[in-house]
């Protein structure tokens, strides 16, 4: 690929309540691979009202942080954020613009692509370099088909799936450059007037290192408490299949799968989960999978590193007791 004068890779680093969102930091990893090809820098772009914490986090993982601060960016307004992103793309002429595959990341890259006529790839889970071609792997049909997608424009705009890439190792902190972007009043076509937070427990499945998931096989809300107990004991987060949620054993925020959250913990324990495609597509990026199911032919065993054939209501109490004992030693 002829990169021309485009060398740098720009990564939009989304923030949530003043903190850098993990998938934004993870996007710095494929950015580093691309920068190795172009000979350019990896630049993280942070936009908000107080970028200090996110900029500090990014600085140790890239070659430079661009910090755009201003009251216009306070409510996460996509119109204003797109202005900032476009201004930085025009100024730094990157070869690629990357973001996390979050609703905001998808919206911003799509808007940028529409404005600048860019090739856009969404939800990439891997990056391959073949000859001089940059290929992004994009799962479709619930992860049953993996497409290799090439974006033939410079810059290209790409979102990456949470958990698909590891965060870069921290090294010496790069400089943070304050940039100013004026957002014209007529550029803002829609504003967030009020944000109403759901009053529920915070469920951070995407960033969890351990997830214990319960499926229909748990049988009842009372039995589902075993899943919660094991998750708590391991310092993990509770996941659930769709039927477990439909049974109201746990809130929808816990759903893993095609229409729930895409997760990639180091350890995933599936209890009474059959392993339907729509579920597996959400957890196949897990590091180590333990499955407990009484049906030895359950498809979940195809993706499990350790399979326990048995009744979850008998296996889980033993596991819990054993872990308690070991923790007490
Ligand atoms: C468009 C679409 C989107 C969907 N999105 C999602 C999604 O995001 N997430 C999701 O999870 N599903 C989703 N589904 C539903 C999905 O197809 C499956 O129906 C669902 O994942 C099955 O959940 P399950 O494994 O809990 O239940 P089941 O398939 O009923 O499996 C229960 C399992 O528990 C085992 N079992 C029973 N009793 C015990 C016991 N005592 N001990 C141990 N094992 C036991 C059984 O052997 C069985 O394998 C979606 C479906 C569609 C059509």
């Amino acid at each position: 690929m002829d990169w021309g004068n485009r060398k740098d890779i720009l990564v939009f680093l989304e923030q949530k309540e003043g903190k850098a969102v993990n998938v934004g930091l993870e996007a710095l990893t494929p950015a580093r691979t691309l920068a190795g090809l172009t000979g350019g820098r990896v630049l993280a772009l942070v936009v908000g009202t107080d970028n200090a914490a996110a900029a500090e986090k990014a600085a140790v993982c890239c070659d430079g942080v661009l910090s755009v601060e201003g009251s216009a960016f306070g409510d996460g307004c996509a119109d204003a954020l797109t202005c900032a992103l476009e201004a930085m793309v025009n100024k730094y002429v990157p070869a690629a613009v990357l973001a996390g595959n979050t609703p905001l990341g998808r919206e911003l890259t799509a808007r940028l692509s529409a404005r600048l006529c860019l090739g856009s790839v969404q939800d990439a889970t891997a990056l391959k370099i073949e000859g001089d071609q940059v290929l992004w792997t994009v799962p479709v049909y619930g992860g049953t088909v993996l497409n290799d997608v090439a974006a033939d424009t410079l810059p290209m705009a790409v979102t990456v799936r949470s958990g698909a890439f590891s965060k870069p190792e921290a090294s010496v902190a790069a400089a943070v450059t304050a940039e100013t972007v004026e957002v014209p009043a007529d550029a803002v076509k829609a504003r967030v007037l009020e944000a109403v937070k759901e009053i529920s427990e915070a469920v951070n499945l995407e960033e969890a290192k351990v997830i214990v998931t319960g499926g229909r096989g748990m049988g009842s809300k009372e039995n589902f408490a075993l899943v919660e107990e094991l998750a708590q004991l391991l310092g993990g987060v509770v996941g659930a299949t769709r039927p477990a949620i439909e049974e109201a054993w746990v809130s929808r925020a816990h759903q893993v799968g095609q229409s729930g959250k895409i997760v990639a913990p180091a350890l995933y324990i599936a209890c009474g989960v059959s392993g339907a495609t729509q579920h597996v597509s959400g957890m196949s990026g897990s590091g180590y999978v333990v499955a407990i199911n009484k049906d030895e032919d359950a498809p979940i065993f195809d993706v499990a590193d350790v399979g326990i054939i048995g009744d979850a209501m008998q296996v889980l109490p033993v596991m819990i007791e054993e872990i308690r004992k070991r923790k007490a030693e």
Side-chain angles (χ1 to χ4, degrees):
M1 192 165 220
D2 179 12
W3 303 99
N5 64 338
R6 292 185 176 272
K7 304 267 184 258
D8 294 338
I9 311 299
L10 188 64
V11 177
F12 175 80
L13 190 58
E14 185 175 338
Q15 302 181 65
K16 213 177 230 172
E17 290 163 5
K19 284 195 189 140
V21 168
N22 261 348
V23 63
L25 294 167
E26 290 163 8
L28 294 165
T29 295
R32 175 64 64 204
T33 307
L34 287 178
L37 292 179
T38 62
R41 299 166 297 171
V42 174
L43 299 176
L45 171 62
V46 196
V47 188
T49 49
D50 178 4
N51 298 337
E56 191 185 332
K57 198 97 187 178
V60 292
C61 304
C62 67
D63 304 316
V65 180
L66 313 175
S67 170
V68 181
E69 282 191 357
S71 55
F73 311 112
D75 62 2
C77 162
D79 291 314
L81 291 170
T82 310
C83 283
L85 183 57
E86 186 182 12
M88 291 303 104
V89 168
N90 290 337
K91 180 164 178 181
Y92 286 89
V93 287
V97 179
L98 271 53
N101 190 53
T102 60
L104 181 64
R106 286 194 295 274
E107 180 167 3
L108 292 188
T109 49
R111 283 166 174 255
L112 186 76
S113 302
R115 286 187 186 190
L116 305 179
C117 291
L118 307 185
S120 180
V121 181
Q122 307 243 305
D123 198 23
T125 56
L127 166 62
K128 291 190 282 190
I129 313 297
E130 283 182 6
D132 66 351
Q133 255 204 325
V134 174
L135 297 174
W136 298 94
T137 304
V138 176
V140 292
Y141 302 119
T144 50
V145 175
L146 299 178
N147 281 343
D148 279 343
V149 183
D152 289 333
T153 62
L154 291 177
M156 59 186 80
V158 182
T159 65
V160 303
R161 182 180 287 194
S162 173
F165 298 90
S166 311
K167 264 190 270 179
E169 294 288 321
S171 65
V172 183
V176 178
T177 307
E179 294 284 354
T180 307
V181 175
E182 295 301 334
V183 180
D186 64 354
V188 177
K189 313 264 191 261
R191 291 177 297 125
V192 179
L193 297 183
E194 190 185 6
V196 180
K197 278 194 189 167
E198 187 186 0
I199 303 172
S200 66
E201 82 268 53
V203 182
N204 198 350
L205 279 166
E206 289 100 329
E207 301 195 356
K209 294 274 169 278
V210 176
I211 295 176
V212 184
T213 286
R216 187 173 2 225
M218 291 309 297
S220 68
K221 193 172 172 64
E222 290 67 40
N223 290 342
F224 201 87
L226 288 168
V227 170
E228 292 165 337
E229 194 176 345
L230 182 60
Q232 195 188 23
L233 200 57
L234 295 173
V237 177
V238 172
T241 62
R242 196 163 87 171
I245 284 154
E246 284 164 354
E247 295 286 348
W249 298 339
V250 65
S251 77
R252 187 158 296 281
H254 294 265
Q255 185 173 328
V256 173
Q258 186 182 319
S259 47
K261 307 260 173 69
I262 308 290
V263 301
L267 173 63
Y268 191 89
I269 304 179
C271 316
V273 173
S274 62
T277 315
Q278 293 85 357
H279 182 77
V280 170
S281 64
M283 49 68 72
S284 55
S286 303
Y288 199 84
V289 178
V290 177
I292 307 166
N293 196 304
K294 65 180 189 185
D295 173 8
E296 65 179 67
D297 294 323
I300 191 70
F301 289 132
D302 297 342
V303 294
D305 296 284
V306 170
I308 302 171
I309 302 163
D311 183 341
M313 268 48 76
Q314 289 177 3
V315 175
L316 282 172
V318 176
M319 276 175 91
I320 289 168
E321 196 190 322
E322 195 57 34
I323 293 166
R324 270 199 214 293
K325 261 197 242 158
R326 291 196 181 207
K327 281 186 124 182
E329 278 168 14

